[in-house]
Amino acid sequence: MAAAFPEITKIQYEGPASANPLAFRYYNPEEVVEGKTMKEHFRFSVAYWHTMRGSGADPFGPGTMWRPWEGPVDNLENAKNRVRVAFEFMQKLGVEYYCFHDRDVAPEGATLAETNKNLDEVVKVLKEEQERTGIRLLWGTANLFSNPRYMHGAATSCNADAFAFAAAQVKKALEVTLELGGQGYTFWGGREGYQTILNTNMKREMDHLGAFMHMAVDYAKEIGFKGQFYFEPKPKEPTKHQYDFDVAACINFLRAYGLGNKIKMNIETNHATLAGHSVEHELEYAAAQGFLGSIDANSGDLLLGWDTDQFPTDVYMTTKIMLTLLKYGGFTTGGLNFDAKVRRESFEPVDLFHAHIGGMDTFAKGLKIAAAIREDGTLEKMVKDRYASWDSGIGAEIQAGKHSFKSLSEYMLQKGDVTPNTSGQQELYENVLNRFVF
Ligand code: XLS
Ligand code: NI
Ligand code: NI
């Protein structure tokens, strides 16, 4: 097969002064930061659905992407050919992981059996390419939202057959994820939610979703899939009320259905902002509860209220993400999956390189800034000092469980009022952060 990107060679690190658009200025894969190489910190991943299948279609018009390797029809041959293009792209970019939905990689057939066969055929090529390049599968997932049979949802559909079809699909997706040595499996709710409570039995739908996830976990055990399961929050799109609204709602759901020790979070930046949170809030919340799993890295547009899935270019954001990640010891099974797409107007293949290079550089710069902030220690000390009242005296006693409302009431009656508050110093904190940014 002829190369899909013949004029592009492996993207190299050239340093901050480089003006070469096809080089990294900050991402230096083997550079060690806080005892780990950059590539180990990030475990960057390409999202097959956006990068290989994104057409640029929007509600106002069809696709715009110029992809010379795509055949006129989406048949099996074309799908296999596309796998080779994907691996050429990832190899040239220097990304070592990818993620996919079952339907991204292989076309649906006339029957489920035929669809499964198509998937097996493409998985053979994926496996070959993985072996050839050393690129690995970060996580697999099933598309339980595109086909019209899922119009009312998959696990939460009012139609029991849709649940059954989804179960068959996830069964197969788990098998191929295992076959490919995938390190995880993600549930994104797709259409698991509702548009109006008038036609919806919420309790029943949520119970079904809980049962569905249990079946997945059980089947994984049965076939020996040891990868990490992830649950990806998103508050809206496509339904008005998604059951997996944000990290807090997802953790509550998992605990309520006895799945809390089986499934972690896959946190996406643009989904956090759609929920009215920042990504660092979502990460911190998940990490504090022991649910930090993986990241779908992208960013939204604050002037647009939908999931624009843009590549991350904001160093403040990546710095904050990396501060949280470093604080909690980094990824174990997860990674940084670019769940992001080029704009509809950026239709040339080379734009895929520009987009990923920009995202990787922005994260690399964020990592360096975060590591410098941590090494300096000022910010950490300021936070520690802010909570000093909990380190000794009454605070330490409360933390040690030595108090009750009664004893605290006695304490306050005697003391009269609280020790005066100190300033929150938000502006100072921001200035300290900026010292490391510019
Ligand atoms: C969609 C989600 C999706 C998941 C995988 O908004 O981000 O792409 O990551 O199903
Ligand atoms: Ni995502
Ligand atoms: Ni998204």
Side-chain angles (χ1 to χ4, degrees), residues 232 234 268 270-271 298 307 309 339:
E232 181 176 325
K234 183 173 182 180
E268 180 166 325
N270 204 169
H271 299 180
N298 62 15
D307 197 16
D309 285 344
D339 194 350

Side-chain angles (χ1 to χ4, degrees), residues 274-287:
L274 285 178
H277 300 306
S278 62
V279 65
E280 57 271 19
H281 166 86
E282 291 290 78
L283 289 170
E284 189 71 39
Y285 195 107

Side-chain angles (χ1 to χ4, degrees), residues 2 13 18 43 63 80 86 90 102 129 144 157-158 165 201 211 228 234 246 277 292 296 309 354 356 379 400 410:
Y13 168 72
S18 173
R43 295 160 57 86
K80 289 188 198 173
M90 293 189 279
D102 48 2
E129 287 294 281
L144 304 178
S157 176
C158 51
F165 201 104
N201 185 333
Q228 176 64 49
K234 183 173 182 180
D246 62 0
H277 300 306
L292 184 62
D296 268 6
D309 285 344
H354 296 152
H356 285 84
L379 211 57
E410 277 158 25

